[in-house]
Short mmCIF file of all heavy atoms in Angstrom, two decimals:
data_model
loop_
_atom_site.label_atom_id
_atom_site.label_comp_id
_atom_site.label_asym_id
_atom_site.label_seq_id
_atom_site.Cartn_x
_atom_site.Cartn_y
_atom_site.Cartn_z
N ARG A 208 99.35 4.75 -91.89
CA ARG A 208 98.52 5.60 -92.78
C ARG A 208 99.40 6.62 -93.55
O ARG A 208 98.93 7.11 -94.59
CB ARG A 208 97.49 6.39 -91.93
CG ARG A 208 96.36 5.57 -91.41
CD ARG A 208 95.47 6.40 -90.48
NE ARG A 208 94.36 5.67 -89.92
CZ ARG A 208 93.19 5.47 -90.50
NH1 ARG A 208 92.98 5.95 -91.71
NH2 ARG A 208 92.21 4.79 -89.90
N SER A 209 100.56 6.90 -93.10
CA SER A 209 101.43 7.89 -93.76
C SER A 209 102.10 7.30 -94.99
O SER A 209 102.54 8.11 -95.85
CB SER A 209 102.48 8.44 -92.77
OG SER A 209 103.45 7.44 -92.48
N TRP A 210 102.19 5.99 -95.15
CA TRP A 210 102.94 5.46 -96.30
C TRP A 210 102.17 4.38 -97.07
O TRP A 210 102.60 4.07 -98.18
CB TRP A 210 104.29 4.92 -95.85
CG TRP A 210 104.23 3.92 -94.71
CD1 TRP A 210 104.55 4.13 -93.43
CD2 TRP A 210 103.85 2.52 -94.78
NE1 TRP A 210 104.45 2.98 -92.68
CE2 TRP A 210 104.00 2.02 -93.47
CE3 TRP A 210 103.41 1.69 -95.81
CZ2 TRP A 210 103.72 0.68 -93.15
CZ3 TRP A 210 103.13 0.34 -95.47
CH2 TRP A 210 103.25 -0.13 -94.15
N ILE A 211 101.08 3.81 -96.54
CA ILE A 211 100.41 2.79 -97.28
C ILE A 211 99.84 3.34 -98.58
O ILE A 211 99.24 4.43 -98.58
CB ILE A 211 99.30 2.12 -96.41
CG1 ILE A 211 98.84 0.84 -97.12
CG2 ILE A 211 98.22 3.11 -96.11
CD1 ILE A 211 97.91 0.01 -96.18
N LYS A 212 100.02 2.66 -99.69
CA LYS A 212 99.59 3.19 -100.99
C LYS A 212 99.40 2.01 -101.95
O LYS A 212 99.82 0.89 -101.69
CB LYS A 212 100.61 4.16 -101.53
CG LYS A 212 101.99 3.57 -101.76
CD LYS A 212 102.98 4.63 -102.29
CE LYS A 212 104.37 4.02 -102.51
NZ LYS A 212 105.32 5.01 -102.97
N THR A 213 98.74 2.34 -103.06
CA THR A 213 98.50 1.33 -104.08
C THR A 213 99.83 0.93 -104.70
O THR A 213 100.79 1.74 -104.77
CB THR A 213 97.56 1.85 -105.16
OG1 THR A 213 98.15 3.04 -105.73
CG2 THR A 213 96.18 2.21 -104.57
N GLY A 214 99.88 -0.34 -105.15
CA GLY A 214 101.08 -0.86 -105.81
C GLY A 214 101.99 -1.58 -104.81
O GLY A 214 102.91 -2.27 -105.27
N MET A 215 101.76 -1.43 -103.51
CA MET A 215 102.61 -2.19 -102.55
C MET A 215 102.08 -3.62 -102.41
O MET A 215 100.88 -3.88 -102.48
CB MET A 215 102.53 -1.51 -101.18
CG MET A 215 103.11 -0.13 -101.10
SD MET A 215 103.05 0.55 -99.44
CE MET A 215 104.32 -0.43 -98.63
N THR A 216 102.99 -4.57 -102.21
CA THR A 216 102.60 -5.94 -102.01
C THR A 216 102.11 -6.07 -100.56
O THR A 216 102.54 -5.31 -99.68
CB THR A 216 103.75 -6.94 -102.20
OG1 THR A 216 104.76 -6.66 -101.21
CG2 THR A 216 104.31 -6.75 -103.57
N MET A 217 101.23 -6.99 -100.32
CA MET A 217 100.66 -7.19 -98.98
C MET A 217 101.72 -7.67 -98.00
O MET A 217 101.69 -7.32 -96.79
CB MET A 217 99.48 -8.18 -99.00
CG MET A 217 98.40 -7.78 -99.98
SD MET A 217 97.88 -6.02 -99.95
CE MET A 217 97.26 -5.88 -98.30
N ILE A 218 102.72 -8.45 -98.50
CA ILE A 218 103.81 -8.85 -97.65
C ILE A 218 104.60 -7.64 -97.13
O ILE A 218 104.94 -7.55 -95.98
CB ILE A 218 104.74 -9.85 -98.38
CG1 ILE A 218 104.04 -11.23 -98.49
CG2 ILE A 218 106.04 -10.02 -97.60
CD1 ILE A 218 104.90 -12.27 -99.17
N ASP A 219 104.92 -6.72 -98.05
CA ASP A 219 105.71 -5.54 -97.67
C ASP A 219 104.92 -4.70 -96.64
O ASP A 219 105.49 -4.16 -95.68
CB ASP A 219 106.02 -4.66 -98.87
CG ASP A 219 107.06 -5.31 -99.78
OD1 ASP A 219 107.80 -6.22 -99.31
OD2 ASP A 219 107.19 -4.90 -100.96
N ILE A 220 103.56 -4.57 -96.83
CA ILE A 220 102.78 -3.78 -95.93
C ILE A 220 102.81 -4.39 -94.53
O ILE A 220 103.06 -3.70 -93.55
CB ILE A 220 101.32 -3.70 -96.45
CG1 ILE A 220 101.26 -2.77 -97.68
CG2 ILE A 220 100.39 -3.11 -95.36
CD1 ILE A 220 99.93 -2.82 -98.40
N CYS A 221 102.58 -5.72 -94.46
CA CYS A 221 102.55 -6.39 -93.14
C CYS A 221 103.91 -6.34 -92.46
O CYS A 221 103.97 -6.09 -91.24
CB CYS A 221 102.09 -7.82 -93.35
SG CYS A 221 100.35 -7.98 -93.83
N GLU A 222 104.93 -6.60 -93.17
CA GLU A 222 106.26 -6.67 -92.53
C GLU A 222 106.73 -5.31 -92.11
O GLU A 222 107.38 -5.19 -90.99
CB GLU A 222 107.28 -7.32 -93.46
CG GLU A 222 106.99 -8.81 -93.69
CD GLU A 222 108.07 -9.50 -94.52
OE1 GLU A 222 108.89 -8.79 -95.14
OE2 GLU A 222 108.08 -10.76 -94.57
N LYS A 223 106.42 -4.28 -92.84
CA LYS A 223 106.83 -2.95 -92.45
C LYS A 223 106.07 -2.52 -91.17
O LYS A 223 106.57 -1.94 -90.23
CB LYS A 223 106.60 -1.96 -93.59
CG LYS A 223 107.17 -0.54 -93.35
CD LYS A 223 107.07 0.30 -94.62
CE LYS A 223 107.74 1.65 -94.38
NZ LYS A 223 107.70 2.51 -95.60
N LEU A 224 104.78 -2.85 -91.17
CA LEU A 224 103.93 -2.55 -89.96
C LEU A 224 104.46 -3.32 -88.73
O LEU A 224 104.60 -2.74 -87.64
CB LEU A 224 102.47 -2.94 -90.24
CG LEU A 224 101.42 -2.69 -89.17
CD1 LEU A 224 100.09 -2.48 -89.84
CD2 LEU A 224 101.34 -3.74 -88.09
N GLU A 225 104.75 -4.59 -88.90
CA GLU A 225 105.17 -5.42 -87.78
C GLU A 225 106.53 -5.05 -87.27
O GLU A 225 106.78 -5.11 -86.04
CB GLU A 225 105.10 -6.89 -88.19
CG GLU A 225 103.69 -7.41 -88.40
CD GLU A 225 103.65 -8.75 -89.06
OE1 GLU A 225 104.71 -9.30 -89.44
OE2 GLU A 225 102.54 -9.32 -89.21
N ASP A 226 107.44 -4.62 -88.14
CA ASP A 226 108.76 -4.17 -87.71
C ASP A 226 108.60 -2.93 -86.77
O ASP A 226 109.29 -2.88 -85.77
CB ASP A 226 109.61 -3.82 -88.88
CG ASP A 226 110.12 -5.05 -89.64
OD1 ASP A 226 109.99 -6.16 -89.09
OD2 ASP A 226 110.57 -4.90 -90.78
N CYS A 227 107.77 -1.99 -87.14
CA CYS A 227 107.55 -0.81 -86.31
C CYS A 227 106.91 -1.20 -85.02
O CYS A 227 107.27 -0.68 -83.96
CB CYS A 227 106.71 0.19 -87.12
SG CYS A 227 106.33 1.71 -86.16
N SER A 228 105.88 -2.06 -85.07
CA SER A 228 105.19 -2.50 -83.89
C SER A 228 106.13 -3.16 -82.88
O SER A 228 106.00 -2.94 -81.65
CB SER A 228 104.05 -3.41 -84.28
OG SER A 228 103.17 -3.62 -83.18
#
Side-chain angles (χ1 to χ4, degrees):
R208 288 176 182 274
S209 71
W210 51 257
I211 191 169
K212 60 182 180 180
T213 59
M215 296 183 70
T216 65
M217 305 315 296
I218 287 182
D219 288 343
I220 291 172
C221 290
E222 290 186 347
K223 191 172 182 178
L224 182 155
E225 291 168 357
D226 287 345
C227 179
S228 190

